[in-house]
Amino acid sequence: MTTEKHKMIAGAPYQAADPELVADRLRARQLCHAINHAAPEAAAELQALQAQLLPGQPASVHITPPFHCDYGYNITLGEGAYFNFNCVVLDGAPVRIGARTLCAPGVQIYTASHPLSPTERATGIELCLPVAIGEDVWIGGGAIICPGVTIGDGAVIGAGSVVTRDVPPRVLAAGNPCRVIRALPQ
């Protein structure tokens, strides 16, 4: 039988109140709390905590606290990926972020979604859709990346944008909703 965790990661409807998922979220919150309250000069402690939260990540990944996520284990970061202050990743589904991608302060990446029907929402059923962000992407401050979005290599997302649809490689995209403004030079 498939667990609620497997359903969640696979993008199938799942029960968010499942005890295993509740425990996983608590663990991630505890690690985020420890990361967010580590002394700024305690680089080794911070790196060890981040390795627990985001297992298997390259040592070149940098996260400036505070940082928040739902699980941590669904986030994959490439070499030199960077999160600035106050970033949030709701990682019920896989979130893949390429090498050298920069997230400015307040960037929010969401995989979580809820049924449109209030009756169905009341059952606690949720759905998560993966997010994929390519290499060498720059996401401006306060941008929101919605569930199921893919952002191509080398793209730039303007500050405050709400990205509801895929963004092709090497373009400047901005706005609410986010739209392509122009192509970027190679």
Side-chain angles (χ1 to χ4, degrees):
M1 180 173 199
T2 302
T3 67
E4 296 302 307
K5 183 175 183 174
H6 287 116
K7 291 179 195 176
M8 176 187 75
I9 293 170
Y14 71 98
Q15 194 54 249
D18 174 71
E20 179 183 17
L21 294 176
V22 170
D24 286 354
R25 287 192 302 271
L26 177 59
R27 177 186 178 276
R29 276 197 309 272
Q30 290 167 334
L31 287 167
C32 286
H33 178 80
I35 288 167
N36 296 338
H37 291 87
E41 65 276 4
E45 176 190 358
L46 189 57
Q47 190 169 30
L49 289 165
Q50 289 175 2
Q52 290 177 60
L53 180 64
L54 308 167
Q57 304 304 321
S60 61
V61 165
H62 184 78
I63 298 172
T64 303
F67 175 80
H68 301 278
C69 67
D70 275 341
Y71 300 98
Y73 53 68
N74 285 327
I75 301 171
T76 303
L77 302 169
E79 292 283 343
Y82 175 66
F83 283 106
N84 209 323
F85 298 101
N86 293 315
C87 288
V88 174
V89 182
L90 302 185
D91 63 313
V95 174
R96 290 183 174 77
I97 298 175
R100 300 167 305 282
T101 287
L102 309 174
C103 294
V107 167
Q108 299 174 52
I109 301 171
Y110 305 149
T111 66
S113 186
H114 302 275
L116 295 178
S117 160
T119 304
E120 195 175 353
R121 263 195 317 274
T123 69
I125 292 291
E126 292 185 14
L127 179 71
C128 291
L129 300 171
V131 170
I133 300 171
E135 295 184 348
D136 301 304
V137 173
W138 175 24
I139 302 173
I144 297 171
I145 313 302
C146 291
V149 165
T150 296
I151 298 173
D153 292 345
V156 174
I157 306 299
S161 295
V162 178
V163 185
T164 59
R165 288 184 233 146
D166 292 353
V167 174
R170 297 203 178 272
V171 297
L172 169 63
N176 181 2
C178 189
R179 61 182 173 76
V180 174
I181 305 296
R182 65 180 166 91
L184 294 173
Q186 301 293 324

